[in-house]
Amino acid sequence: MCGILAVLGCVDNSQAKRSRIIELSRRLRHRGPDWSGLHCYEDCYLAHERLAIVDPTSGDQPLYNEDKTIVVTVNGEIYNHKALRENLKSHQFRTGSDCEVIAHLYEEHGEEFVNMLDGMFAFVLLDTRDKSFIAARDAIGITPLYIGWGLDGSVWFASEMKALSDDCEQFMCFPPGHIYSSKQGGLRRWYNPTWFSELVPSTPYDPLAVRNTFEKAVIKRLMTDVPFGVLLSGGLDSSLVASVALRHLEKSEAACQWGSKLHTFCIGLKGSPDLKAGREVADYLGTRHHELHFTVQDGIDAIEEVIYHVETYDVTTIRASTPMFLMSRKIKSLGVKMVLSGEGSDEIFGGYLYFHKAPNKKEFHEETCRKIKALHQYDCLRANKSTSAWGVEARVPFLDKEFIDVAMSIDPEWKMIRPDLGRIEKWVLRNAFDDEKNPYLPKHILYRQKEQFSDGVGYSWIDGLKDHANKHVTDTMLMNASFVFPDNTPVTKEAYYYRTIFEKFFPKSAARATVPGGPSVACSTAKAVEWDAAWSQNLDPSGRAALGVHVAAYEEDKTEDPRPEKLQKLADKTAAFV
């Protein structure tokens, strides 16, 4: 990932203003430590902090068309850039960067080209011929982007809030799948898939279609000129990413440069479920596995830094971001700059444990749609900013546009959890990769129960966070929370603790409005809390809050790691279903 900052229509275009833009862009340098670039045109500034993944030698930004009348600063990866270049034969390309194609597509097609891009991206493009500009963000919001407005009428765009919050009167999260046009005066949606309407689909389940489109999604994301790896927790999603990547690595261009030995990474407290499961999968696949450890105190010491980088006070995001933040630092120290990760599968297939209580397929499907639409505020934000804090790029094949189209067109009756039919959560995905002749994973791993990242690194991690918050937030403080924080009022001491840290870094009301709120159980939306009356009494984002579903639910067992025997029983049962 890179960092971008664009300021358009400043009243002040003095040297002091240029210095200020450079200073603000420097706040994003953790995202792109490899090079910095700045293009100034009259009262417009486009800045870039580069993390070089594709074409490290010549792909510095901003990027231009042939006569440099079109300037673009991009954060992202365009996986189909070679195919797009084939249709731009009359254009001259200056670099091998996958992002240069954006300037030429605009030159050829005007503003209506964004849907041609297959990738993750946020960009700002300036057309100096008429001083118009556009900004756009990828379909799901994998890549972060914020938009702000200055008192002088200027419009600002930045990869992270910290680069514009001090200088903008108002700002907000740039919505995924949208484009901002100075010519047309505002935001409009460019991404309009069928599933967005939330109407219940009726396409029969085709396991080969699911498998093939996912394999294609992983193969696309092997596009790299630098060392890479896979984040492997040992759960279904990360294990499938690793398995598919390994199958196709040898034939990829990446293997020509870095060899066909796949590196995998896992983090956890000593003895945690993820470390054990990750090692088991790595041994089965034969990867070069890196097992990283942290202590509860390591995590607590990092909380302030995590909140500064991830820019949220959402409890579940901070719980999961902290181990990912620590892991990314160690990954970068090993010389790795890009990782594949398993985000998005639970939203698409209803993998969270609370989906067991979905009353019917209509509500099941509508909840998956709501979850995907909100990903940019939760898991995408976590995966991107936790890794980018240390100059590492995370790619998420489950959020491939084509794969989402296939998966979200399936009749949700197939996704429903049906123990009577042997279907646990994400059965349609598990079944698609259940290949007897050439297995992707062992059966008991393929049918292992969902474990949220913040739980899987070790149950005592969450318990330790709660204990720490209890020491710093008194009963009186929590009682008066609605007066101190009238917007998105924290309802637990842990939430109050995170909120105070967030407010220290981002004190403006616009900043706190970028973070979603509302009741949640086991990562549900507020609407899904209505599925079970008991949940309203146990509002916690941990998977253990899914009472009666999780094999280590809070009410059943509170020991540090109660699961090995229970998990084995579950694996045995689910293996018997297939």
Side-chain angles (χ1 to χ4, degrees):
M1 285 285 105
C2 304
I4 64 173
L5 172 65
V7 186
L8 304 122
C10 302
V11 170
D12 176 12
N13 60 356
S14 64
Q15 179 59 41
K17 187 67 173 182
R18 180 187 176 98
S19 297
R20 176 61 176 166
I21 300 296
I22 292 171
E23 178 188 346
L24 294 172
S25 183
R26 196 179 296 127
R27 295 183 183 180
L28 304 173
R29 193 158 294 169
H30 53 274
R31 298 183 62 86
D34 296 335
W35 196 250
S36 303
L38 176 63
H39 180 91
C40 305
Y41 179 78
E42 297 180 2
D43 58 357
C44 299
Y45 300 84
L46 274 70
H48 190 267
E49 304 292 339
R50 188 184 185 205
L51 179 68
I53 302 289
V54 175
D55 186 26
T57 54
S58 69
D60 294 337
Q61 295 194 39
L63 296 161
Y64 306 89
N65 66 335
E66 292 87 342
D67 61 5
K68 293 196 172 184
T69 55
I70 295 167
V71 192
V72 62
T73 182
V74 190
N75 171 27
E77 303 292 342
I78 310 303
Y79 303 121
N80 64 335
H81 73 105
K82 289 183 179 178
L84 292 170
R85 285 184 184 226
E86 287 297 310
N87 296 319
L88 295 165
K89 299 252 186 194
S90 62
H91 292 256
Q92 290 184 324
F93 287 80
R94 298 170 180 270
T95 75
S97 169
D98 54 295
C99 295
E100 187 183 351
V101 73
I102 292 173
H104 299 283
L105 284 170
Y106 173 82
E107 195 173 26
E108 190 76 20
H109 301 283
E111 294 181 358
E112 306 305 320
F113 72 89
V114 182
N115 200 40
M116 300 177 189
L117 302 175
D118 182 5
M120 56 177 184
F121 55 83
F123 68 81
V124 181
L125 181 149
L126 172 66
D127 187 340
T128 63
R129 297 170 299 188
D130 58 5
K131 276 188 68 177
S132 64
F133 61 89
I134 61 171
R137 190 177 183 190
D138 66 61
I140 304 300
I142 301 165
T143 306
L145 187 64
Y146 294 82
I147 179 172
W149 296 269
L151 282 173
D152 61 354
S154 55
V155 183
W156 295 58
F157 302 93
S159 296
E160 294 182 4
M161 193 161 53
K162 58 182 66 67
L164 53 69
S165 58
D166 290 345
D167 291 55
C168 288
E169 188 67 16
Q170 276 296 334
F171 53 90
M172 66 180 216
C173 178
F174 192 103
H178 278 72
I179 180 172
Y180 181 95
S181 168
S182 64
K183 285 180 182 175
Q184 298 193 22
L187 288 156
R188 68 180 187 275
R189 173 167 283 283
W190 65 263
Y191 179 59
N192 295 289
T194 304
W195 65 266
F196 215 81
S197 68
E198 300 187 10
L199 295 174
V200 178
S202 58
T203 305
Y205 167 51
D206 180 352
L208 281 180
V210 172
R211 183 194 296 186
N212 292 339
T213 50
F214 182 67
E215 294 217 2
K216 282 171 61 179
V218 173
I219 292 167
K220 289 177 197 175
R221 285 156 181 80
L222 298 179
M223 179 184 82
T224 177
D225 293 326
V226 299
F228 78 101
V230 177
L231 305 185
L232 178 61
S233 68
L236 174 68
D237 306 328
S238 65
S239 298
L240 282 179
V241 172
S243 179
V244 173
L246 188 63
R247 287 195 178 203
H248 298 281
L249 178 58
E250 195 170 340
K251 298 176 184 176
S252 71
E253 292 182 12
C256 298
Q257 297 186 69
W258 308 108
S260 57
K261 192 71 173 177
L262 183 66
H263 289 253
T264 51
F265 304 91
C266 185
I267 191 167
L269 305 177
K270 283 190 176 178
S272 70
D274 279 4
L275 290 180
K276 180 182 176 185
R279 171 63 64 186
E280 184 180 9
V281 176
D283 289 345
Y284 175 80
L285 296 176
T287 68
R288 177 72 183 276
H289 192 59
H290 306 268
E291 198 171 275
L292 311 172
H293 300 94
F294 79 107
T295 66
V296 172
Q297 191 60 52
D298 290 335
I300 288 171
D301 291 343
I303 288 290
E304 286 210 13
E305 208 173 352
V306 168
I307 291 173
Y308 172 76
H309 278 288
V310 181
E311 301 180 324
T312 188
Y313 50 84
D314 175 67
V315 170
T316 188
T317 304
I318 294 167
R319 287 176 176 180
S321 293
T322 304
M324 198 169 194
F325 173 86
L326 296 171
M327 176 169 56
S328 298
R329 185 176 190 179
K330 292 191 175 184
I331 287 172
K332 187 60 182 286
S333 73
L334 295 171
V336 171
K337 295 173 73 173
M338 186 273 281
V339 291
L340 302 183
S341 192
E343 280 74 18
S345 171
D346 290 315
E347 287 73 15
I348 294 167
F349 294 106
Y352 292 107
L353 298 182
Y354 72 88
F355 275 95
H356 281 246
K357 299 294 182 76
N360 54 59
K361 71 177 186 179
K362 180 177 182 291
E363 292 210 34
F364 189 106
H365 179 71
E366 289 173 352
E367 176 71 358
T368 61
C369 293
R370 288 190 293 266
K371 290 293 290 180
I372 297 170
K373 290 176 183 178
L375 265 170
H376 68 287
Q377 296 176 304
Y378 295 102
D379 285 19
C380 286
L381 177 140
R382 165 183 56 78
N384 183 283
K385 292 183 179 178
S386 297
T387 54
S388 293
W390 300 105
V392 175
E393 175 176 289
R395 297 181 181 176
V396 283
F398 280 108
L399 296 180
D400 179 82
K401 271 199 303 181
E402 184 184 356
F403 180 73
I404 293 175
D405 286 346
V406 169
M408 292 303 290
S409 69
I410 299 170
D411 185 335
E413 185 65 42
W414 289 93
K415 295 181 182 179
M416 294 279 286
I417 291 96
R418 293 285 304 275
D420 56 317
L421 299 176
R423 295 182 191 165
I424 63 172
E425 65 275 357
K426 293 189 287 194
W427 178 85
V428 294
L429 180 63
R430 300 173 196 272
N431 182 68
F433 286 91
D434 195 348
D435 189 330
E436 296 282 355
K437 294 181 180 178
N438 189 17
Y440 288 78
L441 295 168
K443 279 268 204 275
H444 69 283
I445 293 172
L446 195 59
Y447 290 90
R448 177 178 279 146
Q449 186 179 42
K450 160 71 184 169
E451 189 69 82
Q452 285 164 214
F453 185 47
S454 54
D455 287 334
V457 296
Y459 287 156
S460 56
W461 164 233
I462 291 176
D463 297 336
L465 285 174
K466 290 181 176 181
D467 290 344
H468 181 72
N470 287 339
K471 292 174 185 174
H472 288 78
V473 179
T474 65
D475 293 341
T476 304
M477 291 163 72
L478 189 61
M479 189 186 308
N480 293 325
S482 62
F483 300 105
V484 179
F485 304 117
D487 301 317
N488 248 354
T489 304
V491 295
T492 67
K493 290 184 177 181
E494 185 184 5
Y496 191 105
Y497 178 67
Y498 299 154
R499 183 66 173 271
T500 57
I501 297 171
F502 179 88
E503 296 278 343
K504 180 172 68 174
F505 293 126
F506 307 106
K508 291 187 176 179
S509 59
R512 67 183 70 106
T514 64
V515 182
S520 173
V521 63
C523 287
S524 75
T525 66
K527 178 69 177 171
V529 172
E530 300 170 10
W531 291 350
D532 189 319
W535 285 349
S536 63
Q537 307 303 314
N538 193 47
L539 294 173
D540 190 281
S542 167
R544 288 183 289 167
L547 304 181
V549 176
H550 196 293
V551 293
Y554 281 139
E555 66 177 8
E556 295 177 5
D557 200 332
K558 292 188 178 181
T559 57
E560 180 169 343
D561 186 11
R563 301 177 306 157
E565 296 82 8
K566 292 181 180 178
L567 273 177
Q568 188 57 55
K569 288 177 184 176
L570 179 76
D572 293 342
K573 288 178 182 177
T574 51
F577 286 143
V578 295

